[in-house]
Amino acid sequence: MRHFRCTACGKCCVGWLPLTLKDALLHAGRFPLAVVWTPVRQAAKDFAATERLGFTFRTPDKKTVAVRVCPTAYIPPTMACPALTADNLCAIHGAKPLRCKTMPFFPYRDEGHQADLLVPRPGWDCDVSPSAPSVYDGKTIVDRTDFDAERAELLAQAPLIRPYAQRLMETAPAMASGLAKALLKPGGGHVAVSFASLLRHLPNEDRSRIAARQIGALTEASHRLGTESSWAEYRRNYQDWAWEMERLT
Ligand code: SF4
Ligand code: SF4
């Protein structure tokens, strides 16, 4: 039996925040968004779950690769979430994304592959002592309400994500080579593309309104970066992605 309690230290509220598509659209005025593509090898234990929620492709050397395609609040790894208050609380607690509610579990993985996520990273103040609630029994999540809700959203959005991803693979040859390079990175790599590339494929959304809100979030995020040189790539991406969003307004 494994124990876990969030003490609301706010230390994990930094860097990338993977979102369901619904949460990304809901919070488009708050988070600078990207779509992060993460390739997973066929031999990896989360291949089947990734295939179910994302898509697969064949590399030139005939290997099958599954790809997680994840709308993401694209925040530099040491920068706080824009919803984190000065006293380390969540300003949108009542409406926070499903990803934050399900922490530390991660439904892009099978339920049985969650144990290592219960080990707090250095500096995190999660309570994993025996006095904290029992959250994981063997390979089963004890209270699975949030996990199931996030998994259900990911399953529901897969029929929208998959044709978008396949279309981008067909029209942007750099995606296949970028994913192949990402596969070679120790610990796993990724390819990040503009959220506009996905928004364009959502015919039932008010694209102009969402794009206008996203331009505000990207501009605000760019200001927060200041002139810090190590974040030059984020600054450049925010500017490029705001320009792509302009074309949707
Ligand atoms: S939305 Fe709230 S809980 Fe989620 S990362 Fe941001 S501050 Fe933390
Ligand atoms: S690091 Fe742990 S205790 Fe701190 S906010 Fe995140 S989940 Fe909660």
Side-chain angles (χ1 to χ4, degrees):
M1 187 69 85
R2 303 286 295 272
H3 302 262
F4 189 93
R5 178 191 288 117
C6 174
T7 64
C9 73
K11 303 237 175 85
C12 67
C13 297
V14 297
W16 291 4
L17 177 62
L19 298 166
T20 63
L21 179 55
K22 202 185 249 187
D23 277 332
L25 294 170
L26 181 68
H27 294 289
R30 176 172 288 112
F31 299 130
L33 298 170
V35 186
V36 174
W37 297 42
T38 307
V40 174
R41 290 176 192 282
Q42 196 160 17
K45 62 184 177 184
D46 292 310
F47 178 88
T50 307
E51 182 180 30
R52 194 160 65 249
L53 299 172
F55 76 103
T56 54
F57 77 103
R58 297 270 285 171
T59 61
D61 56 350
K62 308 269 185 282
K63 297 214 165 63
T64 302
V65 174
V67 185
R68 189 163 76 225
V69 180
C70 195
T72 300
Y74 198 70
I75 300 163
T78 54
M79 180 174 272
C81 170
L84 190 69
T85 64
D87 50 2
N88 285 334
L89 296 176
C90 178
I92 54 167
H93 182 69
K96 67 184 177 187
L98 274 174
R99 181 81 295 275
C100 309
K101 292 181 184 163
T102 311
M103 271 287 285
F105 299 118
F106 191 49
Y108 277 102
R109 292 185 180 190
D110 285 334
E111 182 175 357
H113 300 161
Q114 306 282 326
D116 59 308
L117 300 174
L118 290 161
V119 179
R121 294 189 206 168
W124 289 14
D125 291 337
C126 324
D127 180 3
V128 291
S129 71
S131 63
S134 304
V135 295
Y136 199 54
D137 185 2
K139 295 192 166 194
T140 304
I141 297 171
V142 175
D143 178 353
R144 39 182 317 117
T145 312
D146 293 328
F147 183 88
D148 284 349
E150 191 178 359
R151 170 67 69 78
E153 275 299 322
L154 298 177
L155 283 168
Q157 73 188 35
L160 284 171
I161 293 281
R162 202 163 291 132
Y164 147 74
Q166 280 162 353
R167 180 86 181 122
L168 213 60
M169 290 293 285
E170 286 160 16
T171 55
M175 289 306 293
S177 56
L179 292 169
K181 270 191 213 146
L183 264 181
L184 297 176
K185 287 206 174 160
H190 72 276
V191 175
V193 300
S194 73
F195 189 73
S197 68
L198 173 56
L199 188 53
R200 259 185 222 112
H201 283 78
L202 305 177
N204 297 328
E205 301 297 333
D206 183 345
R207 283 180 276 196
S208 172
R209 185 184 65 85
I210 292 164
R213 297 179 72 221
Q214 182 55 192
I215 290 167
L218 288 163
T219 306
E220 169 64 23
S222 198
H223 288 150
R224 288 177 80 214
L225 291 179
T227 54
E228 169 66 51
S229 59
S230 56
W231 291 339
E233 189 181 336
Y234 279 85
R235 199 176 298 109
R236 195 167 50 246
N237 279 336
Y238 291 163
Q239 283 161 1
D240 289 351
W241 295 343
W243 180 79
E244 283 197 48
M245 283 291 170
E246 290 277 2
R247 299 169 70 189
L248 292 177
T249 58

